[in-house]
mmCIF file of all heavy atoms in Angstrom:
data_model
loop_
_atom_site.group_PDB
_atom_site.id
_atom_site.type_symbol
_atom_site.label_atom_id
_atom_site.label_comp_id
_atom_site.label_asym_id
_atom_site.label_seq_id
_atom_site.Cartn_x
_atom_site.Cartn_y
_atom_site.Cartn_z
ATOM 1 N N LYS A 267 -88.747 -99.469 -73.949
ATOM 2 C CA LYS A 267 -90.019 -98.756 -74.123
ATOM 3 C C LYS A 267 -90.546 -98.263 -72.781
ATOM 4 O O LYS A 267 -90.933 -97.095 -72.624
ATOM 5 C CB LYS A 267 -91.064 -99.674 -74.806
ATOM 6 C CG LYS A 267 -90.645 -100.162 -76.171
ATOM 7 C CD LYS A 267 -91.672 -101.046 -76.836
ATOM 8 C CE LYS A 267 -91.931 -102.355 -76.100
ATOM 9 N NZ LYS A 267 -90.729 -103.235 -76.029
ATOM 10 N N THR A 268 -90.556 -99.162 -71.797
ATOM 11 C CA THR A 268 -91.047 -98.765 -70.462
ATOM 12 C C THR A 268 -90.132 -97.717 -69.847
ATOM 13 O O THR A 268 -90.604 -96.776 -69.199
ATOM 14 C CB THR A 268 -91.202 -99.997 -69.560
ATOM 15 O OG1 THR A 268 -92.146 -100.904 -70.179
ATOM 16 C CG2 THR A 268 -91.718 -99.615 -68.189
ATOM 17 N N SER A 286 -93.539 -102.182 -66.314
ATOM 18 C CA SER A 286 -94.043 -103.052 -67.385
ATOM 19 C C SER A 286 -95.171 -103.877 -66.811
ATOM 20 O O SER A 286 -94.945 -104.753 -65.977
ATOM 21 C CB SER A 286 -92.926 -103.990 -67.873
ATOM 22 O OG SER A 286 -92.401 -103.554 -69.062
ATOM 23 N N ASP A 305 -100.008 -101.231 -72.459
ATOM 24 C CA ASP A 305 -99.173 -102.273 -73.034
ATOM 25 C C ASP A 305 -100.064 -103.094 -73.948
ATOM 26 O O ASP A 305 -100.889 -103.889 -73.488
ATOM 27 C CB ASP A 305 -98.539 -103.120 -71.939
ATOM 28 C CG ASP A 305 -97.334 -103.879 -72.478
ATOM 29 O OD1 ASP A 305 -97.443 -104.409 -73.614
ATOM 30 O OD2 ASP A 305 -96.308 -103.929 -71.815
ATOM 31 N N GLU A 332 -97.222 -99.110 -75.706
ATOM 32 C CA GLU A 332 -96.068 -99.975 -76.032
ATOM 33 C C GLU A 332 -96.551 -101.089 -76.955
ATOM 34 O O GLU A 332 -97.611 -101.636 -76.764
ATOM 35 C CB GLU A 332 -95.504 -100.616 -74.765
ATOM 36 C CG GLU A 332 -94.903 -99.627 -73.798
ATOM 37 C CD GLU A 332 -94.140 -100.300 -72.658
ATOM 38 O OE1 GLU A 332 -93.515 -101.354 -72.890
ATOM 39 O OE2 GLU A 332 -94.164 -99.755 -71.561
HETATM 40 MG MG1 MG B 580 -92.343 -102.590 -71.486
#
Side-chain angles (χ1 to χ4, degrees):
K267 300 180 296 297
T268 299
S286 257
D305 199 318
E332 295 190 35

